[in-house]
mmCIF file of all heavy atoms in Angstrom:
data_model
loop_
_atom_site.group_PDB
_atom_site.id
_atom_site.type_symbol
_atom_site.label_atom_id
_atom_site.label_comp_id
_atom_site.label_asym_id
_atom_site.label_seq_id
_atom_site.Cartn_x
_atom_site.Cartn_y
_atom_site.Cartn_z
ATOM 1 N N ALA N 372 1.534 -71.864 -28.486
ATOM 2 C CA ALA N 372 1.864 -72.708 -27.328
ATOM 3 C C ALA N 372 1.941 -71.877 -26.048
ATOM 4 O O ALA N 372 1.509 -72.325 -24.976
ATOM 5 C CB ALA N 372 3.180 -73.434 -27.572
ATOM 6 N N ALA N 373 2.486 -70.662 -26.145
ATOM 7 C CA ALA N 373 2.604 -69.798 -24.963
ATOM 8 C C ALA N 373 1.235 -69.447 -24.396
ATOM 9 O O ALA N 373 1.094 -69.201 -23.189
ATOM 10 C CB ALA N 373 3.366 -68.525 -25.316
ATOM 11 N N ALA N 374 0.219 -69.446 -25.246
ATOM 12 C CA ALA N 374 -1.137 -69.112 -24.795
ATOM 13 C C ALA N 374 -1.756 -70.229 -23.962
ATOM 14 O O ALA N 374 -2.773 -70.025 -23.304
ATOM 15 C CB ALA N 374 -2.030 -68.825 -26.003
ATOM 16 N N HIS N 375 -1.140 -71.409 -23.958
ATOM 17 C CA HIS N 375 -1.691 -72.555 -23.239
ATOM 18 C C HIS N 375 -1.036 -72.796 -21.879
ATOM 19 O O HIS N 375 -1.398 -73.755 -21.187
ATOM 20 C CB HIS N 375 -1.578 -73.818 -24.099
ATOM 21 C CG HIS N 375 -2.424 -73.781 -25.335
ATOM 22 N ND1 HIS N 375 -3.798 -73.747 -25.314
ATOM 23 C CD2 HIS N 375 -2.079 -73.743 -26.652
ATOM 24 C CE1 HIS N 375 -4.278 -73.708 -26.537
ATOM 25 N NE2 HIS N 375 -3.250 -73.696 -27.378
ATOM 26 N N VAL N 376 -0.082 -71.958 -21.485
ATOM 27 C CA VAL N 376 0.516 -72.092 -20.155
ATOM 28 C C VAL N 376 -0.547 -71.764 -19.110
ATOM 29 O O VAL N 376 -1.276 -70.775 -19.248
ATOM 30 C CB VAL N 376 1.732 -71.155 -19.993
ATOM 31 C CG1 VAL N 376 2.321 -71.277 -18.589
ATOM 32 C CG2 VAL N 376 2.785 -71.471 -21.048
ATOM 33 N N ASP N 377 -0.662 -72.576 -18.077
ATOM 34 C CA ASP N 377 -1.708 -72.415 -17.063
ATOM 35 C C ASP N 377 -1.513 -71.110 -16.286
ATOM 36 O O ASP N 377 -0.569 -70.960 -15.521
ATOM 37 C CB ASP N 377 -1.680 -73.606 -16.096
ATOM 38 C CG ASP N 377 -2.934 -73.683 -15.228
ATOM 39 O OD1 ASP N 377 -3.547 -72.625 -14.976
ATOM 40 O OD2 ASP N 377 -3.291 -74.793 -14.806
ATOM 41 N N GLU N 378 -2.423 -70.181 -16.493
ATOM 42 C CA GLU N 378 -2.304 -68.854 -15.869
ATOM 43 C C GLU N 378 -2.551 -68.881 -14.368
ATOM 44 O O GLU N 378 -2.257 -67.903 -13.669
ATOM 45 C CB GLU N 378 -3.280 -67.888 -16.531
ATOM 46 C CG GLU N 378 -4.737 -68.278 -16.398
ATOM 47 C CD GLU N 378 -5.667 -67.359 -17.160
ATOM 48 O OE1 GLU N 378 -5.180 -66.600 -18.013
ATOM 49 O OE2 GLU N 378 -6.875 -67.402 -16.894
ATOM 50 N N GLU N 379 -3.074 -69.982 -13.854
ATOM 51 C CA GLU N 379 -3.318 -70.094 -12.417
ATOM 52 C C GLU N 379 -2.049 -70.479 -11.655
ATOM 53 O O GLU N 379 -2.004 -70.366 -10.429
ATOM 54 C CB GLU N 379 -4.394 -71.160 -12.148
ATOM 55 C CG GLU N 379 -5.744 -70.862 -12.778
ATOM 56 C CD GLU N 379 -6.399 -69.621 -12.172
ATOM 57 O OE1 GLU N 379 -6.197 -69.389 -10.964
ATOM 58 O OE2 GLU N 379 -7.079 -68.890 -12.916
ATOM 59 N N LEU N 380 -1.011 -70.928 -12.372
ATOM 60 C CA LEU N 380 0.163 -71.492 -11.709
ATOM 61 C C LEU N 380 1.400 -70.610 -11.756
ATOM 62 O O LEU N 380 2.401 -70.907 -11.103
ATOM 63 C CB LEU N 380 0.498 -72.861 -12.326
ATOM 64 C CG LEU N 380 -0.610 -73.920 -12.240
ATOM 65 C CD1 LEU N 380 -0.142 -75.220 -12.897
ATOM 66 C CD2 LEU N 380 -1.016 -74.168 -10.792
ATOM 67 N N VAL N 381 1.352 -69.524 -12.534
ATOM 68 C CA VAL N 381 2.498 -68.624 -12.626
ATOM 69 C C VAL N 381 2.040 -67.182 -12.457
ATOM 70 O O VAL N 381 0.872 -66.869 -12.696
ATOM 71 C CB VAL N 381 3.228 -68.774 -13.984
ATOM 72 C CG1 VAL N 381 3.882 -70.130 -14.096
ATOM 73 C CG2 VAL N 381 2.270 -68.553 -15.140
ATOM 74 N N PRO N 382 2.944 -66.297 -12.034
ATOM 75 C CA PRO N 382 2.566 -64.894 -11.867
ATOM 76 C C PRO N 382 2.050 -64.295 -13.170
ATOM 77 O O PRO N 382 2.589 -64.557 -14.250
ATOM 78 C CB PRO N 382 3.873 -64.229 -11.425
ATOM 79 C CG PRO N 382 4.677 -65.334 -10.820
ATOM 80 C CD PRO N 382 4.335 -66.553 -11.610
ATOM 81 N N ALA N 383 1.020 -63.467 -13.065
ATOM 82 C CA ALA N 383 0.409 -62.856 -14.245
ATOM 83 C C ALA N 383 1.417 -62.022 -15.027
ATOM 84 O O ALA N 383 1.413 -62.019 -16.267
ATOM 85 C CB ALA N 383 -0.779 -61.992 -13.827
ATOM 86 N N GLU N 384 2.299 -61.300 -14.328
ATOM 87 C CA GLU N 384 3.278 -60.443 -14.997
ATOM 88 C C GLU N 384 4.224 -61.268 -15.863
ATOM 89 O O GLU N 384 4.560 -60.880 -16.990
ATOM 90 C CB GLU N 384 4.080 -59.653 -13.965
ATOM 91 C CG GLU N 384 5.110 -58.701 -14.591
ATOM 92 C CD GLU N 384 6.014 -58.056 -13.560
ATOM 93 O OE1 GLU N 384 5.948 -58.446 -12.380
ATOM 94 O OE2 GLU N 384 6.794 -57.173 -13.950
ATOM 95 N N LEU N 385 4.654 -62.432 -15.353
ATOM 96 C CA LEU N 385 5.580 -63.286 -16.092
ATOM 97 C C LEU N 385 4.920 -63.855 -17.341
ATOM 98 O O LEU N 385 5.487 -63.793 -18.442
ATOM 99 C CB LEU N 385 6.065 -64.418 -15.184
ATOM 100 C CG LEU N 385 6.918 -65.507 -15.828
ATOM 101 C CD1 LEU N 385 8.175 -64.918 -16.451
ATOM 102 C CD2 LEU N 385 7.283 -66.578 -14.790
#
Side-chain angles (χ1 to χ4, degrees):
H375 294 295
V376 178
D377 194 332
E378 61 185 15
E379 299 294 327
L380 301 180
V381 293
E384 181 187 8
L385 173 59

